[in-house]
């Protein structure tokens, strides 16, 4: 009898302990907050936030601050800015959050964009020949010595105009015998001119792309020839050979990433061709993968970012701004999978939009209207 009573007491004690453990687990689960999220889940949540919400979330606690700052630095992607021809209205588009901001810059009336780098735009007024650097996020502007420019003339600068090493560059004139180059520092009062003999083929008539990398301006002609200008030496060299281009190309983009030069040819009915320049042999080699790199391409200037940890899926992609009917949008062409997301690429109004990097510490945008 006593043994039976002991067994019953033991079983009832175990049941009470089990119930108590279940209640304890439920209470702990009830008391959990977002602060206790696992690190991978926390990063997934934060990656879905806009830049403004990311900054606000970083004030929650030390763990959130570290996660927000790391994602903010790694995953900062360029935005697209579109310029209207009819008025002083502009659109900033964040493709990662699919948000559009409508802006108005009356001070830029009559200006068109020439280039973009480090969050700054280079603007040109064809009526007054005036040039200026403009930051659409802060509205800061820095004047540049005036210069007459043809509509299809390309211009580039090496880094943000707030840096003392900022250098502007353009090929101002091309004749059968000579090529005229101009360069200028951001704080200079006039342009410096250099004239070189034209050793390019006669069917060449313009430069389509200019990219600055490792102290050199890389200039691509409409025939595929590459010329290099070394500002420190004021020298102008022609590279032998041309990048392989299939018939039917209707657009090209050139960009750099950590000293590497990439070239993309687009086609109407074929997949894009991705090429990388070998800086030792100066020969172009076709590539089938971006290795986590994402290239944001536009006719005037292209950006590139290494986004291996991007949660939104914008990685190993060519990100292009396009028009689909009357709607502006973006498409992502996945190079590794040879697949397209959204609409087919169409070359329409390529000089009305350009990619620009937003500042990391941006809290309030100068917006009048916002659409999602």
């Amino acid at each position: 009898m006593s043994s039976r009573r002991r067994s019953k007491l033991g079983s009832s004690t175990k049941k009470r302990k089990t119930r108590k453990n279940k209640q304890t687990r439920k209470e702990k689960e009830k008391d959990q907050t977002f602060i206790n999220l696992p690190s991978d889940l926390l990063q997934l949540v934060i990656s879905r936030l806009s830049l403004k919400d990311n900054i606000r979330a970083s004030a929650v606690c030390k763990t959130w601050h570290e996660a927000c700052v790391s994602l903010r630095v790694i995953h900062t992607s360029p935005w697209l800015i579109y310029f209207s021809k009819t008025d002083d209205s502009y659109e900033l588009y964040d493709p990662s959050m699919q948000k559009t901001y409508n802006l108005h810059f009356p001070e830029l009336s009559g200006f068109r964009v020439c280039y973009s780098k480090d969050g700054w735009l280079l603007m040109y007024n064809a009526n007054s020949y005036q040039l200026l650097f403009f930051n659409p996020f802060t509205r800061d502007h820095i004047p540049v010595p005036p210069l007459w420019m043809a509509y299809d003339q390309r211009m580039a600068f090496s880094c943000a105009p707030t840096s003392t090493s900022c250098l502007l560059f353009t090929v101002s004139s091309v004749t059968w015998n000579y090529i005229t180059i101009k360069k200028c520092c951001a704080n200079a009062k006039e342009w410096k001119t250099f004239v070189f003999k034209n050793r390019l083929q006669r069917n060449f008539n313009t430069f389509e792309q200019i990219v600055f990398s490792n102290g050199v301006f890389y200039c691509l002609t409409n025939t595929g020839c590459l010329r290099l200008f070394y500002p420190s030496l004021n020298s102008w060299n022609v590279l032998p050979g041309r990048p392989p281009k299939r018939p039917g190309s209707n657009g090209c983009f050139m960009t750099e990433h950590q000293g590497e030069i990439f070239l993309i040819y687009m086609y109407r009915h074929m997949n894009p061709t991705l090429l990388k320049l070998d800086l030792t042999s100066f020969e172009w080699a076709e590539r089938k993968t971006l290795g986590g790199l994402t290239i944001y391409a536009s006719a005037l200037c292209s950006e590139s970012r290494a986004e291996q940890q991007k949660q939104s899926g914008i990685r190993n992609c060519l990100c292009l701004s396009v028009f689909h009917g009357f709607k502006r949008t973006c498409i992502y062409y996945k190079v590794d999978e040879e697949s397209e997301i959204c609409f087919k690429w169409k070359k329409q109004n390529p000089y009305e939009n350009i990619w620009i990097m937003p500042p990391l510490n941006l809290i309030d945008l100068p917006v009048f209207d916002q659409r999602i």
Side-chain angles (χ1 to χ4, degrees):
M1 294 290 293
S2 62
S3 62
R4 287 180 182 178
R5 273 198 292 269
R6 282 198 296 270
S7 61
K8 287 182 180 180
L9 287 172
S11 61
S12 60
T13 304
K14 286 181 180 179
K15 288 180 181 179
R16 284 196 297 271
K17 285 184 178 179
T18 303
R19 284 197 297 269
K20 188 175 182 180
N21 290 336
K22 286 182 179 179
Q23 290 176 354
T24 305
R25 282 198 298 269
K26 286 182 180 179
E27 288 174 358
K28 286 182 179 179
E29 290 174 359
K30 197 173 182 179
D31 292 338
Q32 276 188 341
T33 64
F34 282 105
I35 298 177
N36 306 116
L37 285 175
S39 58
D40 55 345
L41 186 58
L42 177 61
Q43 289 191 352
L44 178 61
V45 172
I46 293 175
S47 68
R48 303 290 180 179
L49 300 179
S50 65
L51 181 59
K52 185 187 294 186
D53 292 335
N54 178 296
I55 295 172
R56 289 172 175 168
S58 64
V60 172
C61 64
K62 184 179 179 181
T63 303
W64 278 53
H65 177 79
E66 292 174 354
C68 288
V69 171
S70 64
L71 287 170
R72 197 185 310 161
V73 173
I74 294 174
H75 300 318
T76 299
S77 300
W79 290 17
L80 189 69
I81 185 166
Y82 167 78
F83 300 84
S84 172
K85 283 186 175 180
T86 58
D87 52 26
D88 58 4
S89 63
Y90 301 83
E91 288 183 1
L92 271 172
Y93 177 66
D94 179 2
S96 62
M97 300 303 299
Q98 298 183 11
K99 289 186 177 181
T100 300
Y101 303 88
N102 293 335
L103 311 178
H104 293 271
F105 299 127
E107 63 271 32
L108 295 183
S109 178
F111 281 83
R112 62 177 172 88
V113 66
C114 299
Y115 202 74
S116 171
K117 196 176 183 70
D118 296 342
W120 287 82
L121 300 172
L122 182 61
M123 311 294 294
Y124 175 68
N125 190 315
N127 298 319
S128 62
Y129 308 150
Q130 183 181 358
L131 281 160
L132 60 84
F133 288 106
F134 182 76
N135 188 319
F137 301 99
T138 63
R139 290 182 177 263
D140 292 336
H141 57 86
I142 300 174
V144 177
L147 180 71
W148 180 88
M149 288 178 58
Y151 183 78
D152 60 350
Q153 182 175 330
R154 296 291 178 268
M155 181 175 288
F157 57 96
S158 59
C159 59
T162 51
S163 171
T164 56
S165 60
C166 177
L167 184 67
L168 290 89
F169 167 85
T170 185
V171 180
S172 63
S173 175
V174 177
T175 66
W176 279 48
N177 299 317
Y178 298 101
I179 293 179
T180 303
I181 289 173
K182 292 182 180 290
K183 74 173 186 178
C184 175
C185 296
N187 57 353
K189 295 183 178 180
E190 60 182 12
W191 290 82
K192 292 184 179 180
T193 303
F194 305 90
V195 180
F196 302 93
K197 287 186 178 181
N198 187 357
R199 295 188 174 92
L200 294 170
Q201 294 182 352
R202 297 306 183 187
N203 59 345
F204 150 73
N205 55 33
T206 186
F207 287 91
E208 287 192 343
Q209 301 283 317
I210 300 178
V211 168
F212 180 82
S213 178
N214 293 329
V216 180
F217 285 99
Y218 293 81
C219 310
L220 184 73
T221 72
N222 63 312
T223 58
C225 295
L226 196 63
R227 299 211 65 166
L228 277 60
F229 179 72
Y230 298 83
S232 59
L233 303 173
N234 296 324
S235 64
W236 179 246
N237 298 328
V238 182
L239 293 187
R242 299 185 187 183
K245 180 174 67 170
R246 302 186 184 100
S249 171
N250 65 342
C252 72
F253 309 101
M254 190 165 67
T255 187
E256 72 90 29
H257 182 75
Q258 296 181 352
E260 303 286 353
I261 306 297
F262 295 89
L263 179 63
I264 305 102
Y265 280 113
M266 303 298 299
Y267 305 91
R268 293 187 184 278
H269 306 294
M270 293 187 294
N271 294 327
T273 300
L274 175 65
L275 305 166
K276 180 182 175 182
L277 182 64
D278 188 325
L279 298 178
T280 304
S281 63
F282 286 106
E283 294 180 354
W284 294 96
E286 187 170 349
R287 295 193 55 164
K288 296 295 184 181
T289 177
L290 284 170
L293 189 69
T294 294
I295 296 177
Y296 297 81
S298 65
L300 294 172
C301 181
S302 299
E303 293 277 356
S304 59
R305 287 293 176 271
E307 298 177 326
Q308 291 90 341
Q309 303 177 24
K310 192 78 174 180
Q311 299 289 346
S312 63
I314 308 176
R315 58 190 299 271
N316 295 313
C317 288
L318 300 177
C319 189
L320 308 167
S321 62
V322 298
F323 280 75
H324 186 73
F326 295 99
K327 182 181 179 182
R328 287 183 296 276
T329 184
C330 287
I331 67 169
Y332 309 121
Y333 174 80
K334 289 185 173 293
V335 176
D336 297 10
E337 303 172 8
E338 294 189 350
S339 63
E340 236 177 38
I341 303 175
C342 294
F343 307 112
K344 291 184 178 179
W345 185 81
K346 295 181 179 180
K347 188 177 180 181
Q348 297 182 16
N349 301 312
Y351 301 107
E352 294 180 15
N353 51 65
I354 195 171
W355 295 98
I356 184 170
M357 286 302 302
L360 295 178
N361 59 348
L362 184 64
I363 298 179
D364 294 313
L365 284 172
V367 297
F368 293 90
D369 179 39
Q370 175 179 326
R371 300 195 309 273
I372 298 178

